[in-house]
Amino acid sequence: DQQVKQNSPSLSVQEGRISILNCDYTNSMFDYFLWYKKYPAEGPTFLISISSIKDKNEDGRFTVFLNKSAKHLSLHIVPSQPGDSAVYFCAATGNTGKLIFGQGTTLQVKP
Amino acid sequence: DAGVIQSPRHEVTEMGQEVTLRCKPISGHDYLFWYRQTMMRGLELLIYFNNNVPIDDSGMPEDRFSAKMPNASFSTLKIQPSEPRDSAVYFCASSLRPGDGYTFGSGTRLTVV
């Protein structure tokens, strides 16, 4: 039972263009959502988060959008840079405090 | 702070052997989590502790898996006996509060042959 799903295993974009990574969730009790970034041979690192009381949160080139009615969130990276190439994990949590992660999406940004 | 420290970085063992993975969380972090990364399921939560007490072990796949946290600065994840399907990268993470941004270790890549 995958409560957090990232249906695109991989994404390839050109440097300077927008990268859009998508995530869907099934548990309506989730009220806080996070994105993590992972480079090879390293642990995931926190990137950006959003509370369910908001529908958008921006941090520099990174913006997360939340659509509660659709149980969908997305991460936008503008402009994309080669150093953004990594695996991106979507995560969600609710009153249990546990972070539930998706399967991850591998982003490749081509120079 | 050196961050979350995991050892070993790589472990290769034969099927049936006992494997012990180790984790030192960030000092002052009251929550410790063990995750397993696989291609199919991404990052799966196996178990987490609060103040050294196991709170939720519903993600532990089988009785072959066990985890302990004898003190605030050390935790172990043990697999006995190990099987080839246990091959994965195992991550430890810690945080100040549940659901907060976790700090992950670099992981242990386990290969069971």
Side-chain angles (χ1 to χ4, degrees):
Chain A
D1 176 25
Q2 196 80 17
Q3 297 185 66
V4 178
K5 298 179 183 179
Q6 294 175 256
N7 292 318
S8 297
S10 62
L11 175 67
S12 181
V13 300
Q14 207 67 35
E15 180 180 6
R17 306 296 291 270
I18 184 172
S19 295
I20 300 176
L21 295 97
N22 294 302
C23 177
D24 297 296
Y25 61 96
T26 58
N27 191 336
S28 58
M29 297 303 291
F30 288 150
D31 59 6
Y32 193 62
F33 305 88
L34 307 90
W35 285 93
Y36 279 75
K37 178 178 178 180
K38 184 186 177 305
Y39 291 117
E42 296 182 10
T45 55
F46 171 72
L47 187 58
I48 192 170
S49 62
I50 188 167
S51 165
S52 60
I53 62 174
K54 295 184 176 181
D55 55 17
K56 176 182 175 181
N57 188 28
E58 192 171 353
D59 183 2
R61 297 185 297 112
F62 302 89
T63 302
V64 56
F65 295 92
L66 176 63
N67 182 334
K68 291 189 291 295
S69 61
K71 293 190 176 67
H72 176 84
L73 64 156
S74 60
L75 175 68
H76 292 210
I77 307 173
V78 182
S80 301
Q81 301 173 353
D84 297 330
S85 298
V87 179
Y88 289 79
F89 288 98
C90 168
T93 186
N95 56 4
T96 65
K98 297 189 297 187
L99 268 187
I100 307 300
F101 285 84
Q103 306 95 313
T105 297
T106 300
L107 173 66
Q108 182 184 25
V109 180
K110 297 179 179 178
Chain B
D1 200 317
V4 175
I5 300 172
Q6 291 186 246
S7 64
R9 288 299 305 272
H10 302 274
E11 177 79 38
V12 180
T13 190
E14 291 185 347
M15 182 174 62
Q17 296 297 307
E18 177 180 296
V19 175
T20 300
L21 311 182
R22 297 172 175 78
C23 175
K24 176 178 167 53
I26 291 175
S27 177
H29 280 192
D30 292 334
Y31 290 83
L32 183 139
F33 307 83
W34 282 100
Y35 281 86
R36 176 171 68 176
Q37 183 190 4
T38 61
M39 289 295 292
M40 289 298 295
R41 301 183 66 83
L43 283 165
E44 295 178 89
L45 177 64
L46 301 177
I47 185 172
Y48 81 94
F49 296 83
N50 178 24
N51 291 323
N52 314 338
V53 176
I55 303 301
D56 186 339
D57 65 355
S58 59
M60 296 286 261
E62 299 172 34
D63 290 344
R64 298 184 296 106
F65 286 70
S66 62
K68 294 182 180 179
M69 192 165 185
N71 57 63
S73 60
F74 184 65
S75 176
T76 59
L77 177 67
K78 185 179 292 187
I79 308 173
Q80 165 64 19
S82 57
E83 296 183 3
R85 59 193 168 121
D86 301 331
S87 298
V89 182
Y90 291 80
F91 288 101
C92 174
S94 69
S95 73
L96 278 170
R97 291 172 293 273
D100 217 347
Y102 295 1
T103 301
F104 280 82
S106 298
T108 295
R109 179 173 294 278
L110 173 65
T111 303
V112 183
V113 297

